[in-house]
Amino acid sequence: MCPLGWLGVATLCLGTLWAVPAKDRRKVEKPKAELSLLENLDLENYDVTLESYGDILDLSNYEELYDYGDLVPKIEVGTLAPRPKDPKTLPELAETTAGTPNLQPPSSAGPVPPAPIPRQGLPSCLLCLCLGSSVYCDDAGLEQIPALPPDTAYLYARFNRIGAVRAADFRGLEKLKRIDLSSNSISRVDADAFRGLPSLQELLLPENLLTALPELPRSLVRLDARLNRIPSAGLHPEAFRDLKQLQFLHLSDNQLDFIPVPLPESLRSLHLQNNNIQTMHEDTFCDSQEQGQIRRALEDIRLDGNPINLSLFPNAFSCLPRLPTGRFS
């Protein structure tokens, strides 16, 4: 080709190159200097060369997508600064740490034991369950009544092997309202075991081996001594006369020969079934001297299972709102 021809071609190429904007020139020039950044790109079967570089990849937004600020390490708020490997390299830090006393115990010392939890020293709260003013000792293998907290109001000691109730067992327990000693082996109760309990309302002694009842407090509302061995001689004379608050008297399945009279006017339920009662008096339930008397409170009388014919004593229960349960033939 003639020199003029070569000169024309060169002029055309230079004109084309300078016609490309600066932004587009960076597209071509910058990847040439940073081809090493493309080594991790997955280009499958494309063979990248300098000739095909601009044809295959669209790097028009390369500078916008690549954030050079990500290379600056970030410090998160709340994280601790890393310790230097050698504190001596920082003289001020070394002097500070050297003058600071070590407040932590040596690593050889064992863990500090927790403070002891105060325990109730009374045997009842070690053998039983104490919840507020209630003590639960059911089926605990007890052979005697343990010492109770002074504020005990309810005692449940059923299904044990308690053989006796002593006078000191309930001494000073002025708040005691209920004693349940059902299903034990109690054969003896001291005469004054319950006398000093001014708040006692319920005394439950069924299914034991009792042959006598002790003196009872006047505050008693319910007495249950079923399924024992109590004869009439085992009751104090007029044992229930002064119990002005007594409402439930259950003495069934014992060995009584007669109905324990006089009975308080407050009585509502009297269970004497399965004893050895054979007779009664006209004044057993009603006052023969008071005509027109109606004893409305006493509605539940059970005399069934006794060898007594109730039809022989019609005046004995003429004042009652209901006839006693028993044999009338």
Side-chain angles (χ1 to χ4, degrees):
M1 182 180 296
C2 64
L4 291 177
W6 283 108
L7 181 59
V9 173
T11 302
L12 181 61
C13 291
L14 289 175
T16 304
L17 179 60
W18 286 106
V20 177
K23 183 178 179 181
D24 294 340
R25 287 203 303 269
R26 284 199 302 268
K27 294 181 187 178
V28 179
E29 294 173 359
K30 192 165 187 173
K32 293 181 180 179
E34 298 178 359
L35 285 177
S36 59
L37 297 177
L38 302 176
E39 294 177 356
N40 296 327
L41 295 176
D42 184 11
L43 301 179
E44 296 183 356
N45 296 324
Y46 292 105
D47 186 12
V48 181
T49 61
L50 292 176
E51 290 76 12
S52 61
Y53 184 86
D55 299 332
I56 297 174
L57 297 178
D58 183 10
L59 300 179
S60 59
N61 297 325
Y62 180 78
E63 291 183 346
E64 299 176 4
L65 296 177
Y66 191 88
D67 186 6
Y68 290 92
D70 293 341
L71 299 178
V72 181
K74 296 182 180 179
I75 300 178
E76 297 182 2
V77 177
T79 58
L80 297 177
R83 282 184 73 134
K85 296 182 179 180
D86 188 4
K88 295 181 180 180
T89 57
L90 299 176
E92 296 180 358
L93 179 61
E95 293 176 1
T96 304
T97 55
T100 303
N102 187 9
L103 300 179
Q104 296 182 350
S107 58
S108 59
V112 179
I117 300 175
R119 299 174 61 186
Q120 293 173 291
L122 294 171
S124 60
C125 296
L126 299 177
L127 301 173
C128 311
L129 177 62
C130 296
L131 292 177
S133 60
S134 300
V135 179
Y136 298 90
C137 297
D138 290 347
D139 198 14
L142 300 179
E143 296 183 358
Q144 62 182 11
I145 298 173
L148 299 171
D151 59 344
T152 301
Y154 305 94
L155 171 64
Y156 301 88
R158 301 168 290 189
F159 313 109
N160 285 287
R161 299 192 296 272
I162 300 173
V165 179
R166 302 165 298 178
D169 288 340
F170 303 109
R171 185 169 297 165
L173 301 179
E174 298 182 355
K175 299 181 180 180
L176 196 56
K177 296 181 180 179
R178 180 172 185 170
I179 299 175
D180 192 346
L181 299 174
S182 305
S183 303
N184 276 277
S185 302
I186 301 173
S187 59
R188 181 178 62 86
V189 179
D190 289 353
D192 56 348
F194 307 114
R195 183 171 54 191
L197 302 177
S199 303
L200 188 62
Q201 297 180 1
E202 296 182 80
L203 178 58
L204 310 180
L205 300 168
E207 299 185 51
N208 278 283
L209 304 175
L210 291 173
T211 56
L213 285 180
E215 186 176 346
L216 302 170
R218 297 187 178 185
S219 58
L220 205 62
V221 175
R222 178 184 178 188
L223 173 64
D224 187 350
R226 298 172 290 114
L227 295 164
N228 278 278
R229 303 174 181 178
I230 304 172
S232 294
L235 301 179
H236 291 277
E238 300 182 344
F240 308 108
R241 182 187 62 181
D242 296 330
L243 304 185
K244 303 302 183 180
Q245 301 183 48
L246 186 64
Q247 298 183 26
F248 304 92
L249 177 58
H250 295 170
L251 296 172
S252 59
D253 295 280
N254 277 283
Q255 300 175 11
L256 300 178
D257 299 321
F258 56 82
I259 298 174
V261 292
L263 297 170
E265 293 291 330
S266 58
L267 197 63
R268 297 171 52 189
S269 177
L270 175 65
H271 288 186
L272 296 172
Q273 66 268 32
N274 301 323
N275 276 281
N276 194 31
I277 299 173
Q278 301 180 24
T279 186
M280 70 172 62
H281 300 285
E282 290 185 357
D283 292 337
T284 298
F285 301 114
C286 306
D287 187 355
S288 60
Q289 302 298 324
E290 185 178 349
Q291 300 295 329
Q293 176 194 13
I294 299 178
R295 193 168 181 170
R296 299 186 182 278
L298 189 54
E299 295 183 346
D300 179 22
I301 300 177
R302 292 196 57 181
L303 292 169
D304 49 302
N306 285 279
I308 182 176
N309 186 353
L310 298 178
S311 60
L312 300 177
F313 311 95
N315 295 330
F317 41 83
S318 60
C319 66
L320 299 178
R322 296 182 182 178
L323 293 175
T325 300
R327 185 169 63 92
F328 284 90
S329 59

